[in-house]
Amino acid sequence: GNKNQRPEPQTSAPAVQTNRPTDVEATEAKDQDNHRMNQPRVWNTIPQVKKSFGEILKEAQEESRREAEEEKRRRKNIIIHRAPESTSEDADTRKKADMDTIQSLLQELGITAEVLVCYRLGEKPKNSDNQDKQGERTRPLKVIFGSEHEVNNILRSLSKLRNAEDEIKKLRVTPDRNMRERERKYVA
């Protein structure tokens, strides 16, 4: 090999350069294009997901706040089950009969409490002969007191009903609970 010699010319024709990619290169390019096309959609949805998550969190916090307020209101209430229900058509007469039952209960317990409101829960039975018979169901009576303290005194004193007359002894008094609390009580 002489250093000054020129390289020998190629005898074969030079390879023609084509712009067509090989199958592997085509597949890779297609994947990259698909990735680029999909990427903006993914990035564009992230703010929507963040917004949705923020809305969900806000709704959950609002629901929790509402439940706490409802629980606070319910602490001033009791529910009286098995209280005889007046068959009178007159609302004032029925209300007076319910107030008399509540006052008899409070008297038996030796408690003075301010009753703000009382009312029956549920629909009034259609036929009046279905009410207040032995073994028949009566609608629960919800009683709202002026303070949580009064309700706590009533609930702590319920053991005194064991020695009461039958009309008062048969009453069942419970705190006012929401649906979730009632279900939890029966599951536990």
Side-chain angles (χ1 to χ4, degrees):
N2 194 346
K3 291 182 186 179
N4 292 335
Q5 280 185 344
R6 285 183 168 174
E8 287 185 29
Q10 292 180 341
T11 53
S12 64
V16 178
Q17 294 281 333
T18 62
N19 289 337
R20 271 198 284 163
T22 65
D23 288 342
V24 172
E25 290 171 335
T27 303
E28 287 176 356
K30 191 175 181 181
D31 288 346
Q32 286 177 351
D33 284 346
N34 285 340
H35 179 69
R36 273 189 233 107
M37 287 173 53
N38 290 335
Q39 189 174 9
R41 275 186 271 161
V42 169
W43 287 108
N44 288 339
T45 58
I46 287 176
Q48 293 170 346
V49 170
K50 284 182 181 176
K51 183 178 177 187
S52 296
F53 180 73
E55 289 172 356
I56 291 169
L57 183 61
K58 189 175 182 178
E59 288 172 10
Q61 289 171 335
E62 180 66 22
E63 178 68 22
S64 178
R65 185 189 61 75
R66 277 194 304 268
E67 284 180 5
E69 285 177 4
E70 181 184 349
E71 182 182 333
K72 187 174 182 177
R73 269 195 319 272
R74 287 178 181 268
R75 288 184 197 150
K76 294 180 182 181
N77 309 340
I78 61 170
I79 307 294
I80 302 174
H81 301 271
R82 301 182 187 165
E85 192 166 356
S86 171
T87 58
S88 173
E89 291 298 319
D90 181 44
D92 290 335
T93 304
R94 291 193 311 268
K95 184 106 167 166
K96 183 179 179 334
D98 288 341
M99 285 300 289
D100 289 346
T101 300
I102 295 165
Q103 290 307 320
S104 297
L105 172 68
L106 294 174
Q107 186 177 353
E108 189 67 40
L109 297 175
I111 293 175
T112 304
E114 176 189 10
V115 175
L116 299 180
V117 179
C118 76
Y119 55 91
R120 294 283 176 163
L121 301 175
E123 274 188 48
K124 185 178 178 207
K126 300 283 186 259
N127 51 352
S128 59
D129 61 352
N130 187 30
Q131 298 177 4
D132 202 23
K133 287 186 179 177
Q134 192 66 24
E136 292 291 335
R137 295 179 65 111
T138 60
R139 295 181 296 160
L141 178 60
K142 181 173 183 171
V143 185
I144 302 173
F145 291 94
S147 76
E148 198 177 314
H149 178 73
E150 291 171 328
V151 170
N152 290 336
N153 284 342
I154 292 167
L155 295 173
R156 278 194 302 262
S157 302
L158 289 176
S159 62
K160 294 179 182 177
L161 294 183
R162 289 186 195 129
N163 301 325
E165 59 185 63
D166 287 345
E167 196 65 26
I168 298 297
K169 188 177 189 174
K170 74 177 184 176
L171 300 178
R172 293 294 173 256
V173 180
T174 62
D176 187 9
R177 295 188 173 103
N178 65 28
M179 184 63 78
R180 189 180 314 166
E181 292 170 325
R182 288 192 301 260
E183 288 171 353
R184 194 179 311 136
K185 180 180 183 283
Y186 291 113
V187 169

